[in-house]
Amino acid sequence: MDKNIKQDILDILKKSQEITKEGKTVLIDQISEIFDQYKEPVSKLLWVPINTILPNGYNPNKMATPEKHLLLRSMLDHGITLPLVVSAKQQQHYMLIDGYHRWNLIKKSKVLQHRLDHKVPVVILDLPKTERIVATIQHNRARGKHQIGEIGKVVKTLSANGWSSSKIMEALGMDADEVLRLKQFKGLGELYKDGDYSQSWR
């Protein structure tokens, strides 16, 4: 790379605090295109203040205390290796989709807060609420243990938003029996409400 061009790029980046959020988004898009980056969310990683991120109220993934200590130790020793996944910014805040335990541990760690300058890496998924709920489950279903009461609430929410049992099965990676058991949290009267349930699911 020509030395003058390289210096020009460095000078622009040094002034990045003067660039608007919209300008930064455009710049990231252009850099991704120039360097032939894949058109994936992770190609547009941003660092945002941790206090602009809010937890969602539907994450059924629970982590035991020993695993929390291990996760914290890993971040302290090896750094942040995975970005948080958040929704598009609304009313000055992002809503967490994936990464609750990392976000929570960073918020509580003075060492990490200081080291990261109170910021965290994020990638943004611009999705409607029901799709955000599904994305949360898809991201963490295989990584942790879901509490049946919490995952039941998720199934209830999706069902209340018009999702059929077969669509819930496909989106959350469940079988028919699991969906039916979880729908019991809605009450036995609604258990067989969906007309798309049949023995052919088995």
Side-chain angles (χ1 to χ4, degrees):
M1 179 183 290
D2 183 274
K3 185 176 180 180
N4 291 331
I5 294 176
K6 183 176 181 180
Q7 188 58 51
D8 287 343
I9 293 172
L10 291 174
D11 290 341
I12 291 171
L13 294 177
K14 285 177 183 177
K15 296 178 180 179
S16 63
Q17 295 302 320
E18 301 173 15
I19 303 175
T20 65
K21 179 187 173 185
E22 293 74 19
K24 287 181 180 179
T25 300
V26 171
L27 182 59
I28 290 172
D29 287 341
Q30 292 173 340
I31 290 173
S32 296
E33 186 174 345
I34 289 171
F35 288 97
D36 197 26
Q37 293 277 19
Y38 291 104
K39 303 299 183 183
E40 299 292 337
V42 74
S43 297
K44 299 180 181 181
L45 185 144
L46 299 172
W47 284 84
V48 305
I50 194 168
N51 61 7
T52 63
I53 299 175
L54 298 176
N56 63 58
Y58 48 80
N59 184 4
N61 184 284
K62 305 298 179 184
M63 181 179 284
T65 300
E67 282 75 12
K68 286 182 182 179
H69 290 325
L70 186 62
L71 177 57
L72 176 60
R73 186 74 263 157
S74 173
M75 291 192 291
L76 289 169
D77 290 348
H78 308 126
I80 310 303
T81 58
L82 287 173
L84 307 179
V85 181
V86 299
S87 66
K89 195 174 186 180
Q90 293 183 350
Q91 297 180 344
Q92 306 303 311
H93 288 95
Y94 302 92
M95 185 68 68
L96 260 176
I97 292 175
D98 183 61
Y100 171 80
H101 299 297
R102 279 168 280 144
W103 168 81
N104 194 39
L105 288 170
I106 293 171
K107 277 183 70 76
K108 293 179 178 179
S109 170
K110 292 182 179 179
V111 173
L112 287 174
Q113 287 265 25
H114 178 73
R115 196 173 82 193
L116 301 173
D117 193 26
H118 302 276
K119 295 180 179 179
V120 286
V122 304
V123 294
I124 296 173
L125 295 181
D126 192 2
L127 301 170
K129 184 177 179 179
T130 53
E131 295 291 342
R132 293 201 305 265
I133 293 173
V134 169
T136 295
I137 307 304
Q138 290 176 338
H139 274 81
N140 66 28
R141 183 168 163 79
R143 293 203 309 257
K145 295 180 179 178
H146 288 154
Q147 301 297 305
I148 190 167
E150 296 301 320
I151 193 69
K153 292 177 184 177
V154 169
V155 170
K156 178 179 179 180
T157 298
L158 295 178
S159 183
N161 279 274
W163 285 47
S164 67
S165 293
S166 57
K167 186 175 180 180
I168 293 172
M169 283 171 54
E170 182 179 359
L172 303 187
M174 296 178 175
D175 59 30
D177 288 339
E178 190 173 7
V179 173
L180 285 173
R181 285 197 303 271
L182 291 170
K183 292 186 87 175
Q184 290 177 357
F185 285 91
K186 293 183 66 178
L188 294 175
E190 298 186 28
L191 183 58
Y192 297 101
K193 182 178 179 180
D194 285 346
D196 60 335
Y197 173 75
S198 73
Q199 293 298 321
S200 64
W201 288 10
R202 297 180 183 276

